Amino acid sequence: FLILLFSKDEELSLALNMSEDEVEKRYEGKLSKNMSGPLFEIVSRVMKALVNRKITVPGNFQGHSGSQCITCAYKASSGLLYPLERGFIYVHKPPVHLRFEEISCVNFARGTTTTRSFDFEIETKQNNQYTFSNIEREEYGKLFDFVNAKKLNIKNRGFKEGMKGAEGYSDSDEDQHDAYLERMKEEGKIREEGDGSDESEGDSDESFNPGEEDDDVPEEYDSNASVSDSEADDGDSEEESKKKKPEKKPKKVVKEKKERKPRKEKKVKDPGAPKRPMSAYMLWLNGNRERIKSENPGISVTEISKKAGEMWKQLSKDRKEEWDRKAAEAKKQYEKAMKEYRESGGGAAPVTK
């Protein structure tokens, strides 16, 4: 995904660096030599011509506020959810594109933080779930109608035939018909009827309490989770006897300390030896340092180095070759002086620190 943000008011006039015949031949009328208009339209037009792919734009959906998107949050980041003609796209961190053909079902859930919002959950055919939270309840009716019109499978339509999800949230705060509350009441009635008629069915609704004595479900840390009840009973006495015996602590193994290698002695610079020759750049810098200072009064040492580097890059090839020759001559003189110094006995024994 390539995410770009444009200002609607920014205009652009563009002239391609090609002739009109070349533009017509290469882009088959998709582009023209001179183009002008809003920046986002020009960029979209050029992008479409270059990559030769369709540009997806917001569809006919309009939210409660009249915009073509819904403000929401995904993975703790706020963003915008666009209901499109063939899917949903969320921007921008991270961008998510879900096509209708990939969606198994959708679900409208009560908001976890406040009653003024709800969550919109999308489940794909690959069993991946995407939850877009903190959607204003005023957007509920518009979003429900859009999903219903696209014939997507809505998970929580309700039990009664006449109950419609669009009635779940109304615009006013008074006398609101809460579809979620009605659904919970309906489920409660069914559960009560099931408890009265058949006790065995009611047992399935009991909560799972792993700490109770009657719980036969092995815990995660139990290494013998697959062992049957009869095997577990036989092994109780053995486990109790093992618990009584204190475990022997392993003996500490004393590691032998490795002898450190002696540090290498640093060579001390021979004060009598000839100085090493400078590079072409350093020779040029020494020759132009004062000129850089005069042209840029008050410049610091670090800024001089930065400015000199830029000037050296812009130096012509002929001028650089001139300084390369000077550096080569300095190197020859250094090698000659070094040879004479060694023949005279200098540097015979390296001085160490």
Side-chain angles (χ1 to χ4, degrees), residues 317-327:
K317 189 177 178 182
D318 297 336
R319 292 295 306 276
K320 281 186 179 180
E321 286 178 355
E322 179 186 340
W323 290 101
D324 287 336
R325 285 195 295 271
K326 290 181 179 180

Side-chain angles (χ1 to χ4, degrees), residues 183-199:
R183 177 187 166 196
M184 293 296 104
K185 288 180 180 177
E186 193 70 24
E187 288 182 355
K189 287 179 183 179
I190 293 171
R191 193 177 291 111
E192 286 174 6
E193 291 172 4
D195 290 342
S197 60
D198 191 355
E199 293 180 358

Side-chain angles (χ1 to χ4, degrees), residues 61 70 81 83 88 108 118 120 135 139-148:
F61 174 82
I70 294 172
L81 180 66
F88 295 96
F108 294 89
F118 68 96
F120 182 56
I135 303 174
E139 302 286 0
Y140 183 90
K142 297 280 187 181
L143 184 58
F144 185 92
D145 292 343
F146 175 83
V147 170
N148 206 29

Side-chain angles (χ1 to χ4, degrees), residues 98-344:
L98 298 167
R99 295 188 295 273
F100 291 152
E101 59 193 37
E102 301 173 333
I103 296 174
S104 171
C105 62
V106 300
N107 183 41
F108 294 89
R110 177 64 61 88
T112 55
T113 56
T114 176
T115 56
R116 297 290 305 166
S117 65
F118 68 96
D119 297 348
F120 182 56
E121 300 169 353
I122 300 176
E123 191 174 326
T124 65
K125 293 175 182 177
Q126 290 78 29
N127 295 325
N128 297 323
Q129 187 165 325
Y130 300 86
T131 302
F132 303 97
S133 57
N134 296 337
I135 303 174
E136 292 182 1
R137 65 187 305 169
E138 287 79 13
E139 302 286 0
Y140 183 90
K142 297 280 187 181
L143 184 58
F144 185 92
D145 292 343
F146 175 83
V147 170
N148 206 29
K150 295 300 179 183
K151 298 180 180 178
L152 295 175
N153 181 23
I154 302 174
K155 205 171 184 179
N156 56 341
R157 280 185 179 273
F159 293 94
K160 296 180 181 179
E161 292 180 1
M163 186 187 296
K164 293 183 179 179
E167 297 173 357
Y169 294 128
S170 60
D171 293 337
S172 65
D173 289 333
E174 297 178 1
D175 300 331
Q176 292 175 354
H177 175 75
D178 197 332
Y180 185 86
L181 182 62
E182 292 294 332
R183 177 187 166 196
M184 293 296 104
K185 288 180 180 177
E186 193 70 24
E187 288 182 355
K189 287 179 183 179
I190 293 171
R191 193 177 291 111
E192 286 174 6
E193 291 172 4
D195 290 342
S197 60
D198 191 355
E199 293 180 358
S200 61
E201 291 180 2
D203 293 339
S204 62
D205 291 330
E206 291 180 3
S207 61
F208 171 63
N209 298 316
E212 294 180 1
E213 295 179 358
D214 297 336
D215 181 26
D216 294 329
V217 181
E219 295 185 14
E220 290 182 1
Y221 54 80
D222 188 359
S223 59
N224 298 322
S226 60
V227 179
S228 63
D229 293 340
S230 59
E231 292 174 346
D233 293 339
D234 295 338
D236 284 346
S237 58
E238 293 180 8
E239 289 178 3
E240 288 176 4
S241 61
K242 286 179 182 178
K243 286 178 182 177
K244 291 176 183 178
K245 293 179 182 179
E247 295 181 358
K248 293 181 180 180
K249 293 182 180 179
K251 293 180 180 180
K252 291 182 180 179
V253 180
V254 181
K255 294 182 179 179
E256 295 180 1
K257 292 183 179 179
K258 295 181 180 179
E259 293 182 1
R260 291 185 178 179
K261 295 180 180 179
R263 292 183 179 179
K264 293 181 179 179
E265 294 178 344
K266 293 183 179 179
K267 291 183 179 179
V268 179
K269 190 175 179 181
D270 189 354
K275 289 185 179 180
R276 288 183 172 274
M278 287 187 285
S279 63
Y281 168 72
M282 290 305 297
L283 289 170
W284 172 85
L285 179 59
N286 286 345
N288 292 271
R289 191 187 302 274
E290 295 301 323
R291 181 169 66 89
I292 295 171
K293 282 184 180 181
S294 62
E295 291 177 356
N296 302 275
I299 192 170
S300 64
V301 177
T302 53
E303 289 173 345
I304 288 173
S305 302
K306 188 177 179 181
K307 184 73 177 176
E310 294 173 358
M311 292 172 66
W312 175 256
K313 286 180 183 178
Q314 295 173 1
L315 211 63
S316 64
K317 189 177 178 182
D318 297 336
R319 292 295 306 276
K320 281 186 179 180
E321 286 178 355
E322 179 186 340
W323 290 101
D324 287 336
R325 285 195 295 271
K326 290 181 179 180
E329 290 174 6
K331 188 178 180 181
K332 286 180 182 179
Q333 292 176 3
Y334 166 76
E335 289 173 351
K336 184 181 178 182
M338 196 68 186
K339 187 179 179 182
E340 293 175 356
Y341 176 69
R342 284 173 179 167
E343 286 175 355
S344 63

Side-chain angles (χ1 to χ4, degrees), residues 78-98:
S78 60
L80 301 171
L81 180 66
Y82 284 87
L84 306 175
E85 293 303 312
R86 294 183 178 85
F88 295 96
I89 190 162
Y90 171 83
V91 290
H92 69 103
K93 285 185 179 181
V96 180
H97 185 208
L98 298 167

